[in-house]
Amino acid sequence: MGSIPSAVKHCLSYETLAQDYPWLARWLQEEKYGAICEFPKTVKIVEVGPRDGLQNEKEMVPTEVKIQLINMLSETGLPVIEATSFVSFKWVPQMADHVDVLKGITKSPHVKYPVLTPNLRGYQAAVEAGATEVAVFGSASETFSKKNINCSIKESMLRFKEVISSAKQAGIPVRGYVSCALGCPYEGHIEPAKVTEVAKMMYDLGCYEISLGDTIGVGTPKLMANMLQSVMKEIPTSALAVHCHDTHGQALANILIALQMGISVVDSSVAGLGGCPYAPGASGNVSTEDVVYMLHGLGIETGVNLSKVINAGEFICQALNRRTHSKVAQATVKS
Amino acid sequence: MATLMRFVNHSFCSRMGHRSIALSCNSSVARAFGAAAGKPLPAKVKIVEVGPRDGLQNEQTIVPAEVKIRLIDMLSEAGLPVIEATSFVSPKWVPQMADQVEVMQGIHKKPGVNYPVLTPNLKGFQAAVKAGAQEVAIFGAASELFSKKNINCSVEESLQRFEEVTKAAKAQGVLVRGYVSCVLGCPYEGKVSPEKVAHVAKRLYAMGCYEISLGDTTGVGTPGGMSEMLEAVKQEVPVDALAVHCHDTYGQALANILVALQMGISVVDSSIAGLGGCPYAKGASGNVATEDVVYMLHGLGIQTGVDLHKLMDAGAFICQFLNRRTSSKVSQAACKL
């Protein structure tokens, strides 16, 4: 074969090629640009305002207001609206009217209305009230699990197993949540491997989708990427969702990185309602309006009508007598 | 010849192959962080603090000079490398900045920290230099209508005014930073073409601005628009000379900044406590909060030299004086109320 003369090597260097063939450099630039701007074509938004949002409100929201909110959200094009929670009213008084809400809403044929069911008893009550999809709520942090649902992670999996078995028999899909995916208010840093372990347990039990929650909004894009990389080794990307809190203003950046990594399901809350009563200082789910604004700006389809979401947000904020957390709503609605 | 062609193919394909591997295969993390482009995120980011100027100029309450001075001194102690101190515009246009000389002369100038001031024209430049300014900033627009409404002249006229400033600055060894506003949209014109932004940026760079700050003045931009715009500007101005100035009016600022970092930008403008906006862009409010930017950068492992706690103290100080809540979520989360 023989060695290539140095003069020839020089001529064949990338830099020289780029100089002589500008289209090549441009093409490579586009590829570079394309890599950063590779996003899913469609993103499914899971609206958690009526449950995750409202359950954190101190003032009891009347049933009819909840129903109207959900009905308004049903008209926006949102494909999934978490309607209520079949937990004991002793723990979450705001959700005491779960049966009335689930029975009272006008169910759109294009929308799913999952409800939270922490255990078999809650599941049975939910099905009796007409639920056709349920959700179970695990944690990547032992301490948070004990403080939030009063049992260890292992014990919670046993509870979920009961729910999922029954749901499977009834043909009812189950969504799984993993909280504290990017940090815990009690334990601090949570290892991605732990998040993966819990997510995998829930997926293997039969959850069709796992929503990974940055419960106290401490995460930043690198933490999000590291966590997702770990989880994506065990669970198909299409079965994953991100549930970001905007407590430190990082939610949209975290969602962006998740999208770049192929995630195509995002949880959010109209008007940025909600937080977690069990995580001190935690506040603010990311606002659905702000998420939709970003997704549409990226050319990603959501099926959602942003103006109608803003209207629904305006309605609930008026009922709660407080300002929306959504920046898009603040910029758009002339108060 | 055949050997040569095989070598060409191999050399080309192995380069391509390397990129393909980085792009498609494993490291979705690397891909997400732009490492596919051969560029990881910057190790360091320079934060340009615009609160005392861009922030305060939009406040209704006139802030006394001593409060401005105290704020700037606290920001200097927080480790910020650049703090835009004031603006040498006519008090008729921006009454908040009427105490420009007093502020400029009253602040404690920390060694190693730059204190640029805005100078819209030669007159303002001369006054700034007289007051001790060693760096100035000029403020252009990528939108004709915005230029006319904001600085009362066309884009071309403004560039001619700026040339007078940059010539005088060069003669006196004063650095000049250039701003381009409305880079992702204009409140009057709507969509702004990336080519127009690149053209204005190129002109400012060519006339001697060492850095061009690209501003999403009304915060309408989203990451796709940001990358498209930066792609166009990078063809004309070296990326090391570019900065992003994002408004958080629609909550998009941090996502836009993240994409900018992925594209090689390493200078970010922000405003303490999220002060400010633009009185000439209806509905515009909210520079991105420095605290929230620093939180993200530190979380990404990027060095800024900034002490977040001291920064939050400065934010608390100015919000207390203005009697209003901080717009920084990081500060809101830390403050147990």
Side-chain angles (χ1 to χ4, degrees), chain A residues 1 4 8-9 12-15 17 23-24 26-39 217-223 225-226 229 232 246-250 252-254 256-257 259-262 280-281 284-285 289-291 293-298 325 327-332 334, chain B residues 3-4 6-8 11-12 15-16 19-20 23 26-34 36-39 219-225 227-228 231 234-235 248-252 254-256 258-259 262-263 282-283 286-287 291-293 295-301 325 327 329-330 332-334 336:
Chain A
M1 172 111 157
I4 310 288
V8 175
K9 271 188 195 163
L12 295 176
S13 75
Y14 171 71
E15 287 69 29
L17 276 169
W23 59 264
L24 174 67
R26 263 199 311 276
W27 181 49
L28 289 170
Q29 287 277 345
E30 276 161 27
E31 199 173 60
K32 176 167 69 178
Y33 164 54
I36 291 163
C37 285
E38 259 173 50
F39 296 110
V218 288
T220 44
K222 192 174 176 183
L223 281 179
N226 288 344
Q229 193 188 25
M232 280 159 64
D246 204 37
T247 319
H248 292 81
Q250 309 295 304
L252 284 193
N254 290 339
L256 182 70
I257 210 94
L259 295 171
Q260 288 176 332
M261 292 179 74
N285 275 296
E289 299 92 316
D290 299 359
V291 171
Y293 185 93
M294 179 172 82
L295 296 177
H296 288 183
L298 285 167
H325 285 300
K327 290 235 173 177
V328 168
Q330 286 171 19
T332 319
K334 312 281 178 206
Chain B
T3 312
L4 203 64
R6 272 201 297 277
F7 183 83
V8 169
S11 168
F12 173 67
R15 189 121 203 158
M16 282 311 303
R19 286 174 190 270
S20 297
L23 276 174
N26 146 54
S27 226
S28 42
V29 176
R31 187 180 84 177
F33 279 95
K39 281 191 89 153
V220 289
T222 46
S227 38
E228 207 185 1
E231 199 57 37
K234 277 165 67 176
Q235 310 287 336
D248 204 36
T249 319
Y250 291 81
Q252 309 295 306
L254 285 193
N256 290 340
L258 180 63
V259 155
Q262 290 176 332
M263 292 186 75
K282 285 195 177 72
N287 275 296
E291 300 93 313
D292 299 356
V293 173
Y295 184 94
M296 180 174 80
L297 295 177
H298 289 184
L300 286 166
R325 206 179 180 209
S327 298
K329 288 234 173 178
V330 169
Q332 286 171 19
K336 312 274 179 211

Side-chain angles (χ1 to χ4, degrees), chain A residues 247-322:
Chain A
T247 319
H248 292 81
Q250 309 295 304
L252 284 193
N254 290 339
I255 290 167
L256 182 70
I257 210 94
L259 295 171
Q260 288 176 332
M261 292 179 74
I263 299 292
S264 62
V265 184
V266 176
D267 298 1
S268 60
S269 175
V270 64
L273 298 172
C276 178
Y278 295 97
S283 61
N285 275 296
V286 68
S287 306
T288 303
E289 299 92 316
D290 299 359
V291 171
V292 170
Y293 185 93
M294 179 172 82
L295 296 177
H296 288 183
L298 285 167
I300 295 172
E301 286 174 31
T302 62
V304 175
N305 180 319
L306 179 54
S307 312
K308 289 187 176 177
V309 178
I310 293 173
N311 289 346
E314 224 184 336
F315 161 75
I316 192 62
C317 287
Q318 225 159 31
L320 292 169
N321 191 27
R322 64 173 183 73

Side-chain angles (χ1 to χ4, degrees), chain B residues 119-122 125 136-140 155-171 176 200 202-209:
Chain B
T119 53
N121 49 37
L122 194 59
F125 169 78
V136 299
I138 52 184
F139 210 103
V155 170
E156 186 54 41
E157 282 165 347
S158 73
L159 290 172
Q160 284 164 14
R161 276 187 207 172
F162 298 150
E163 235 159 350
E164 295 180 330
V165 172
T166 53
K167 275 198 181 105
K170 200 172 178 177
V176 184
V200 177
K202 185 181 177 178
R203 287 284 299 272
L204 289 172
Y205 187 68
M207 70 174 74
C209 293

Side-chain angles (χ1 to χ4, degrees), chain B residues 40-290:
Chain B
L41 290 184
K44 285 186 185 157
V45 160
K46 177 176 84 175
I47 299 210
V48 175
E49 171 59 50
V50 300
R53 196 274 308 167
D54 194 8
L56 291 184
Q57 84 179 14
N58 207 27
E59 291 297 324
Q60 309 276 28
T61 327
I62 297 290
V63 179
E66 56 266 23
V67 174
K68 288 181 181 129
I69 288 166
R70 175 91 188 106
L71 173 65
I72 293 167
D73 288 348
M74 286 181 85
L75 292 168
S76 298
E77 288 309 305
L80 287 156
V82 185
I83 301 165
E84 207 170 60
T86 186
S87 182
F88 282 79
V89 292
S90 161
K92 275 183 255 165
W93 290 113
V94 188
Q96 181 74 265
M97 299 283 127
D99 55 6
Q100 50 200 218
V101 176
E102 196 183 338
V103 167
M104 200 61 204
Q105 292 182 340
I107 55 175
H108 166 67
K109 287 184 184 160
K110 191 175 180 197
V113 181
N114 289 357
Y115 299 93
V117 297
L118 217 68
T119 53
N121 49 37
L122 194 59
K123 186 175 163 186
F125 169 78
Q126 286 158 347
V129 171
K130 197 169 160 189
Q134 294 171 315
E135 183 176 326
V136 299
I138 52 184
F139 210 103
S143 150
E144 282 295 344
L145 270 175
F146 189 83
S147 186
K148 286 198 176 102
K149 292 206 184 234
N150 200 31
I151 53 176
N152 228 15
C153 63
S154 71
V155 170
E156 186 54 41
E157 282 165 347
S158 73
L159 290 172
Q160 284 164 14
R161 276 187 207 172
F162 298 150
E163 235 159 350
E164 295 180 330
V165 172
T166 53
K167 275 198 181 105
K170 200 172 178 177
Q172 296 184 52
V174 173
L175 290 170
V176 184
R177 187 185 207 233
Y179 281 92
V180 184
S181 57
C182 296
V183 301
L184 299 182
C186 170
Y188 309 108
E189 285 185 12
K191 202 164 152 55
V192 174
S193 82
E195 289 67 39
K196 180 77 181 180
V197 179
H199 168 74
V200 177
K202 185 181 177 178
R203 287 284 299 272
L204 289 172
Y205 187 68
M207 70 174 74
C209 293
Y210 76 94
E211 194 168 271
I212 310 297
S213 173
L214 304 162
D216 179 15
T217 307
T218 49
V220 289
T222 46
M226 171 64 85
S227 38
E228 207 185 1
M229 182 274 296
L230 285 177
E231 199 57 37
V233 177
K234 277 165 67 176
Q235 310 287 336
E236 307 291 351
V237 179
V239 71
D240 293 340
L242 293 174
V244 290
H245 181 111
C246 298
H247 278 210
D248 204 36
T249 319
Y250 291 81
Q252 309 295 306
L254 285 193
N256 290 340
I257 290 168
L258 180 63
V259 155
L261 296 173
Q262 290 176 332
M263 292 186 75
I265 299 292
S266 62
V267 184
V268 176
D269 298 1
S270 59
S271 176
I272 186 73
L275 298 174
C278 178
Y280 296 98
K282 285 195 177 72
S285 63
N287 275 296
V288 67
T290 305

